[in-house]
Amino acid sequence: MTITSFIPPRRTLMGPGPSDVSERVLQAMARPTLGHLDPAFIGMMNEVKALLQYAFQTKNELTFAVSAPGSAGMECCFANLVEPGDKVIVCQNGVFGGRMQENVERCGGVAVMVQDDWGTAVDPHKLESALVANPDAVLVAFVHAETSTGAQSDAKTLVELAHKHGCLTIVDTVTSLTGTPLLVDDWNIDAIYSGSQKCLSAPPGLSPVSFNERAAEKIRQRTTKVQSWFLDLNLVMGYWGGEGKRAYHHTAPVNCLYGLHESLVIVQEEGLENSWARHQRNHLSLRAGLEEMGVGFLVPEEDRLPQLNTVTIPEGVDDALVRSRLLNEFDLEIGAGLGALAGKVWRIGLMGHASNQKNVDFCLNSLRAVL
Ligand SMILES: *Cc1c(COP(=O)(O)O)cnc(C)c1O
């Protein structure tokens, strides 16, 4: 058998990510590959940094994209900030909080878990009790937008509580960045990570991160080496950290960064506030259509993520069959339930480039036909 070029089918991606990538971003990625220390490329990396500072609403110097998907941004935050023996309070209200626990323990830290029901926001009162009960905790970690359930937590309040008790914060904003309001400096978030393939609508493979001065200071004060060579910020910053002299650390995914750059230019052109408003508008439109079909939401209204709509599968409906018919007959991808919610919910993404009225109508019509 002769294997020939791979031509992917044209799908509409309305799951939990990756989201649809625009022609502009795809074309940017098809441009000629440069050497990763070429002055022209380094100039572009500096622009990526400035554009990420805008998207995160931060002036943090330590802002860049880890050369790997969101999970690596997560590891980067934990590997650098957690030292063996550190006590870390992890708020869990879905799948990704569980991964935070894994990260803490693999870094030699002690995770204190604060559990909330899946589909609800993190309860600030429970965090406060845990902070009082664990005065020796040094970090608080939580997920701003839980993609496994579609619930959004009040990051500003949770960070305030952590700081009141002398803890630094690690916040997962893989799904929230540019989809819902996120103000890194105003909210005083210490360490944050995101992903390229959710509301930024670039292909997967890059993880924007940002660290404020307090987080950078904790990393400088470490008495043990960061256990991951690849993610050690002291080394990575020699590569990303401006001022002309750039030391070779690893080869940046050059064309992938062209894509992220273009997606961030698109965010800047639209404006963050307009992007947040568009995600909300299309969510309300989808919601109206779903409710007309008798399909309800998992998450209470005030905590719902507009970019990730988790709906309960109607009684007697075959989950896998519906999703495979949507894919095969309509080229439409929606997400299945994760973990404890497998088989119980669908996750309909309206992320970034894919958050538009045309997709809302297409999804509603396709679902109606299949159901
Ligand atoms: C998608 C996601 C991740 C993981 O990102 P990958 O790019 O798949 O590694 C982490 N946290 C949340 C909340 C996510 O939605």
Side-chain angles (χ1 to χ4, degrees):
M1 182 187 75
T2 313
I3 297 177
T4 58
S5 307
F6 175 66
I7 312 291
R10 281 231 167 245
R11 311 277 203 215
T12 300
L13 301 181
M14 296 182 71
S19 58
D20 278 336
V21 178
S22 68
E23 277 310 311
R24 265 181 74 174
V25 171
L26 291 175
Q27 279 167 15
M29 292 182 67
R31 289 175 191 144
T33 302
L34 287 171
H36 72 117
L37 295 173
D38 186 312
F41 182 65
I42 288 172
M44 193 220 61
M45 280 170 92
N46 289 336
E47 289 183 357
V48 167
K49 182 171 163 180
L51 290 162
L52 283 176
Q53 285 170 327
Y54 169 68
F56 276 130
Q57 291 288 286
T58 183
K59 294 195 170 64
N60 289 342
E61 208 27 57
L62 208 46
T63 302
F64 67 101
V66 174
S67 300
S71 304
M74 179 187 274
E75 294 236 19
C76 181
C77 288
F78 286 91
N80 282 277
L81 284 168
V82 180
E83 277 201 271
D86 278 354
K87 196 182 250 194
V88 184
I89 298 180
V90 176
C91 305
Q92 179 175 16
N93 62 340
V95 167
F96 291 99
R99 293 191 179 180
M100 287 179 149
Q101 175 181 16
E102 274 288 323
N103 270 268
V104 171
E105 291 170 355
R106 283 169 195 238
C107 293
V110 179
V112 175
M113 300 304 291
V114 176
Q115 299 288 349
D116 275 293
D117 289 341
W118 290 31
T120 66
V122 171
D123 181 353
H125 297 108
K126 285 191 191 167
L127 171 60
E128 180 137 54
S129 308
L131 284 161
V132 170
N134 296 278
D136 53 339
V138 294
L139 277 164
V140 168
F142 65 89
V143 180
H144 183 212
E146 238 314 339
T147 324
S148 63
T149 69
Q152 176 160 251
S153 294
D154 180 355
K156 182 170 187 268
T157 300
L158 298 174
V159 171
E160 267 171 21
L161 281 171
H163 287 166
K164 199 174 116 194
H165 292 267
C167 289
L168 294 183
T169 48
I170 296 177
V171 186
D172 176 323
T173 59
V174 175
T175 283
S176 51
L177 183 64
T178 77
T180 44
L182 169 63
L183 307 169
V184 171
D185 284 358
D186 271 19
W187 299 352
N188 278 311
I189 294 171
D190 301 290
I192 192 165
Y193 60 91
S194 190
S196 52
Q197 80 277 26
K198 310 237 172 161
C199 293
L200 288 177
S201 286
L206 287 168
S207 177
V209 294
S210 185
F211 299 83
N212 70 10
E213 194 37 50
R214 268 177 309 211
E217 186 56 25
K218 178 156 175 24
I219 296 166
R220 281 194 291 269
Q221 297 288 326
R222 285 181 67 106
T223 54
T224 55
K225 265 190 181 177
V226 173
Q227 112 287 19
S228 161
W229 174 85
F230 185 67
L231 296 171
D232 185 343
L233 279 177
N234 299 301
L235 305 175
V236 176
M237 280 320 286
Y239 187 48
W240 268 90
E243 277 87 66
K245 51 172 186 339
R246 210 166 275 250
Y248 167 67
H249 176 258
H250 66 279
T251 310
V254 173
N255 292 55
C256 223
L257 278 162
Y258 297 168
L260 179 65
H261 181 279
E262 189 68 13
S263 72
L264 288 164
V265 166
I266 293 170
V267 167
Q268 190 187 47
E269 283 171 6
E270 181 178 25
L272 273 179
E273 288 80 3
N274 292 332
S275 178
W276 300 333
R278 173 170 54 84
H279 282 89
Q280 183 62 16
R281 199 165 58 240
N282 292 317
H283 157 71
L284 291 177
S285 174
L286 179 74
R287 180 186 113 176
L290 287 172
E291 282 174 353
E292 225 166 76
M293 291 162 64
V295 175
F297 281 73
L298 174 78
V299 177
E301 192 168 345
E302 62 276 13
D303 298 331
R304 272 177 212 163
L305 281 170
Q307 63 272 51
L308 203 272
N309 298 269
T310 304
V311 298
T312 41
I313 299 174
E315 202 74 36
V317 168
D318 184 333
D319 169 30
L321 181 64
V322 168
R323 281 184 296 105
S324 79
R325 284 192 59 193
L326 288 174
L327 193 67
N328 295 327
E329 295 168 30
F330 296 88
D331 280 312
L332 171 63
E333 178 182 281
I334 66 168
L338 261 193
L341 293 172
K344 301 197 173 101
V345 299
W346 289 316
R347 293 179 299 152
I348 304 175
L350 283 168
M351 295 182 177
H353 182 65
S355 176
N356 59 63
Q357 186 61 46
K358 199 169 144 236
N359 276 0
V360 169
D361 294 339
F362 177 57
C363 179
L364 289 170
N365 291 334
S366 309
L367 251 186
R368 210 173 279 123
V370 169
L371 286 178

